[in-house]
Amino acid sequence: LLAYYSQNYAVLLQSKGELDKAQAEYYDAIAITRKVLGDDHSLLGGSQVMLGRLLHSREQFGEAEIAFRDALRVHRNAHGDAHPFVGYDLVSLGMLLHDMGKLQEAEAAIREGLAVYEKTLGENHQYIASGLTALCALLNDDDRASDGRALIERALEIRRKDYDDAHPLLAATQSVAGRNLAMLGDYAAAEPLLRHSMDVLQKQDGADSLRLRRTRQWLSDLYVASGQPQQAERLREPPVAAAKK
């Protein structure tokens, strides 16, 4: 019971933006779970993957990788290979490895996670949209934007079934879709997607979040590529007013 309480308290702290406290509480939850329930209980894997997501968002990549890999071990031992928890761990690990520059290993993990999702959740679950978005983002960075086009279109279709335009998950997928279009030279279609995504993510995440910084950079790259250097320069100026809110 204490382990559940500690994990839920960490989630609450994270939702309030108290990230240092949340991180410490996740570590406490993991230690309690190991002591009370052992090294292979599913609750341990849940705490580890949530810690990994927090560490990833804070760009503490080494610690995040340890958390994700142990979560994957725990969930495989507890549930077998064909379980949504395993799919979630694989996609989360793949997204982290992508940010660490390990593109080949990242792609393999994301594709494996997507295969688990398809097998256990069906074709239109939001976790599948997340995995497709992650895979397209990787393909964009690997100069394979054309390979990602159909993937991100499918992700957008799934997102729009459940979310309106103000939802941050749809905005995150639109951001990757916008970059994909820009890389394919369709600047007119890409710009409104990136601008809308930037507005939503700034309200949701604050001015310093990793995914907002990426979206801003991708929009800046679009302006440079389309011959609008002044627009690109404006985006490089820090959004002081927004950051103070």
Side-chain angles (χ1 to χ4, degrees), residues 89-214:
D89 297 341
L90 284 163
V91 172
S92 297
L93 176 62
M95 292 168 67
L96 173 71
L97 292 170
H98 175 190
D99 284 344
M100 296 172 73
K102 301 177 181 180
L103 298 189
Q104 186 173 356
E105 189 178 357
E107 182 174 350
I110 294 169
R111 287 190 183 278
E112 186 180 356
L114 272 168
V116 173
Y117 282 161
E118 297 272 9
K119 184 176 182 179
T120 59
L121 299 174
E123 297 182 351
N124 294 307
H125 197 280
Q126 290 301 330
Y127 281 4
I128 291 175
S130 295
L132 292 168
T133 300
L135 183 54
C136 182
L138 184 149
L139 294 171
N140 287 343
D141 280 348
D142 201 33
D143 292 325
R144 289 185 284 160
S146 59
D147 292 343
R149 188 76 215 130
L151 301 176
I152 202 65
E153 285 293 338
R154 183 181 169 205
L156 285 170
E157 182 180 352
I158 295 170
R159 290 290 196 222
R160 286 172 175 146
K161 287 180 179 179
D162 292 331
Y163 302 136
D164 63 25
D165 282 344
H167 198 285
L169 286 177
L170 175 55
T173 296
Q174 288 173 321
S175 175
V176 174
R179 188 189 185 211
N180 182 264
L181 285 165
M183 292 183 72
L184 294 172
D186 192 347
Y187 303 130
E191 182 183 0
L193 283 173
L194 289 167
R195 280 209 163 275
H196 174 75
S197 176
M198 198 168 70
D199 290 343
V200 173
L201 293 176
Q202 185 156 328
K203 291 174 185 175
Q204 171 70 25
D205 295 354
D208 261 345
S209 79
L210 183 59
R211 59 185 180 177
L212 175 61
R213 295 201 316 268
R214 282 180 180 146

